[in-house]
Amino acid sequence: MAIRMYDLCGAEAERRFSPFCWRAKMALAHKGLQIETVPWRFTEKDKLPQPNAGRVPVIVDGDRVVHDSTAIADYLEERYADRPSLYGGPVGRGLARFVQNWTETVLQAGLIRLVLVDIHRHLGPEDQAYFRGDREKRFNTTLEEVVKDREARLPAFRSSLDPLRRTVERQPFVSGEAPAYADYIVFGAFQWARAISDFEVLASDDPVRAWRGRMLGLFGGLAASAPAYGAAA
Amino acid sequence: MAIRMYDLCGAEAERRFSPFCWRAKMALAHKGLQIETVPWRFTEKDKLPQPNAGRVPVIVDGDRVVHDSTAIADYLEERYADRPSLYGGPVGRGLARFVQNWTETVLQAGLIRLVLVDIHRHLGPEDQAYFRGDREKRFNTTLEEVVKDREARLPAFRSSLDPLRRTVERQPFVSGEAPAYADYIVFGAFQWARAISDFEVLASDDPVRAWRGRMLGLFGGLAASAPAYGAAA
């Protein structure tokens, strides 16, 4: 039986943009597991299986419900230990946490200030009201103010990617010769931006963009074939 | 026979401050290998064994000469494969490169602007002349200008440590439950600052400082017992 995964979507059910859901989808594909996704919107908190935290991703595997992308990766690694490893052992697992913390405090924190208003444009009316209220409270200003002057801030954002850039300049993937969970963590952030914004955050000759292209091509083009903006690679 | 390692020192032979040498020393200790260090100064390029790039660390293991901290770690991991692993496998090795690139583009780039002039104070006259000339050319200004207003820049530096801070808040080491090479990469930078500067770069309640204390205590206090400023933990 396929694993069921609740996956954040916009007004269009096929536009899936949560960076955390992309982490989980790539991890499930890495393990070679079949899934069926359930499109889910911000305001459908009561449609999620229990237990949950009102957020996605949530997966249902037989009678197990697991929520939170990190918990899902840990669950898959243990439950499907005979399949390709997401972490490559305890050190790889520990270091994936560092990559995650960099992704959340630097990469996603930078990206949100470039594409926040574009997320809003892709939501249905009910979700738009929720999203504007929640995010404007969080940023203490309007969505439009958050992304203002994004062109001017682009060089600083691109410069903040130096640790990632140097890494994928010198080896094919963040995790080395082959992709693993840390790659999916970083990629989730770029796929999120790409899914809802036509604002290209990477220069055409950026090694990070070449890596993103390699990620888009994985698993038969799983991420490349999803509704998004920009070139598939 | 002990492995010989050429190790950067100041006017005092016992003050060892190169972040790259500290990476190598911690890696050698992790492998449980006995070493004897040869104090080496910036202007003693002709005293290094061949082949070298005029820089340390360089190790001599029997008839093998290996220079560059990354090459040394790779060499030790392969040559002493039966001893505790530095990387924990290919994924851990790949991700250690990401940590290294973060350390060099963010952590060390930030630290140098806090402690550059303190390095100069610990060098002998000949090395001082070399160091001032070389670094002032690199920074295109005086050593004193580089560190000016360092108190004012401290909050931004500390904030740049967020990915590290979150990681060691949630697990004992960068590499997870136990230290591995990525920890030595990051630690080398802090031990460098600590060896030559009394400017405390970490707040007393910073989780990064608690992690640094754990690192100082490893291998019988190898790093804690070296000449340096500040508390041992």
Side-chain angles (χ1 to χ4, degrees), chain B residues 3-18 21 25 35-49 55-58 127:
Chain B
I3 292 174
R4 196 158 82 244
M5 177 181 144
Y6 291 79
D7 192 13
L8 187 68
C9 70
E12 305 154 79
E14 289 316 304
R15 191 168 303 273
R16 311 292 172 90
F17 61 91
S18 158
C21 290
K25 265 180 288 188
I35 65 168
E36 52 185 46
T37 62
V38 182
W40 177 87
R41 296 180 175 90
F42 283 121
T43 47
E44 300 179 329
K45 305 231 184 261
D46 56 351
K47 290 200 182 163
L48 293 175
R55 287 193 300 268
V56 287
V58 179
D127 276 17

Side-chain angles (χ1 to χ4, degrees), chain A residues 40-182:
Chain A
W40 178 88
R41 296 181 175 89
F42 284 120
T43 48
E44 300 179 329
K45 306 230 184 264
D46 56 353
K47 290 198 181 165
L48 293 174
Q50 294 298 325
N52 72 69
R55 287 192 301 268
V56 287
V58 180
I59 64 166
V60 182
D61 185 14
D63 51 13
R64 270 297 294 275
V65 176
V66 187
H67 65 89
D68 178 87
S69 55
T70 304
I72 290 170
D74 284 349
Y75 166 78
L76 295 176
E77 188 71 347
E78 193 185 327
R79 171 70 181 78
Y80 299 98
D82 54 331
R83 293 175 176 236
S85 174
L86 289 166
Y87 296 128
V91 174
R93 184 179 178 281
L95 296 179
R97 297 293 185 259
F98 180 86
V99 174
Q100 176 179 342
N101 292 326
W102 178 82
T103 299
E104 294 175 6
T105 60
V106 178
L107 174 55
Q108 293 184 179
L111 277 174
I112 193 80
R113 294 182 165 274
L114 301 177
V115 305
L116 185 64
V117 82
D118 299 318
I119 301 176
H120 185 263
R121 288 197 293 115
H122 282 92
L123 305 176
E126 246 187 282
D127 275 17
Q128 279 190 330
Y130 157 80
F131 187 80
R132 184 174 287 277
D134 183 78
R135 299 309 197 265
E136 294 194 343
K137 192 171 158 193
R138 193 185 298 178
F139 284 97
N140 202 28
T141 185
T142 64
L143 302 181
E144 289 73 14
E145 266 310 304
V146 172
V147 301
K148 215 181 81 176
D149 300 326
R150 64 182 180 180
E151 285 285 357
R153 284 184 286 104
L154 199 50
F157 168 75
R158 288 177 176 174
S159 158
S160 77
L161 304 182
D162 277 348
L164 174 61
R165 182 170 296 116
R166 272 205 197 181
T167 304
V168 297
E169 230 168 24
R170 297 169 184 188
Q171 60 191 27
F173 295 98
V174 177
S175 306
E177 292 301 315
Y181 191 63

Side-chain angles (χ1 to χ4, degrees), chain B residues 62-140:
Chain B
D63 50 14
R64 269 298 293 274
V65 176
V66 187
H67 64 89
D68 177 88
S69 56
T70 304
I72 290 170
D74 284 349
Y75 166 78
L76 295 176
E77 188 70 348
E78 192 184 330
R79 170 72 182 76
Y80 300 97
D82 54 330
R83 292 173 175 238
S85 174
L86 290 166
Y87 295 129
V91 174
R93 183 179 179 282
L95 296 179
R97 298 293 185 259
F98 180 86
V99 174
Q100 176 179 340
N101 292 326
W102 178 81
T103 299
E104 294 176 6
T105 60
V106 178
L107 175 55
Q108 293 184 179
L111 277 174
I112 193 80
R113 295 183 164 272
L114 301 176
V115 304
L116 184 64
V117 81
D118 299 318
I119 300 176
H120 185 263
R121 287 198 292 116
H122 283 92
L123 305 177
E126 246 186 283
D127 276 17
Q128 279 189 331
Y130 157 80
F131 188 80
R132 184 175 285 278
D134 183 78
R135 299 309 197 265
E136 294 194 344
K137 193 171 157 196
R138 193 185 297 178
F139 284 98
N140 201 28

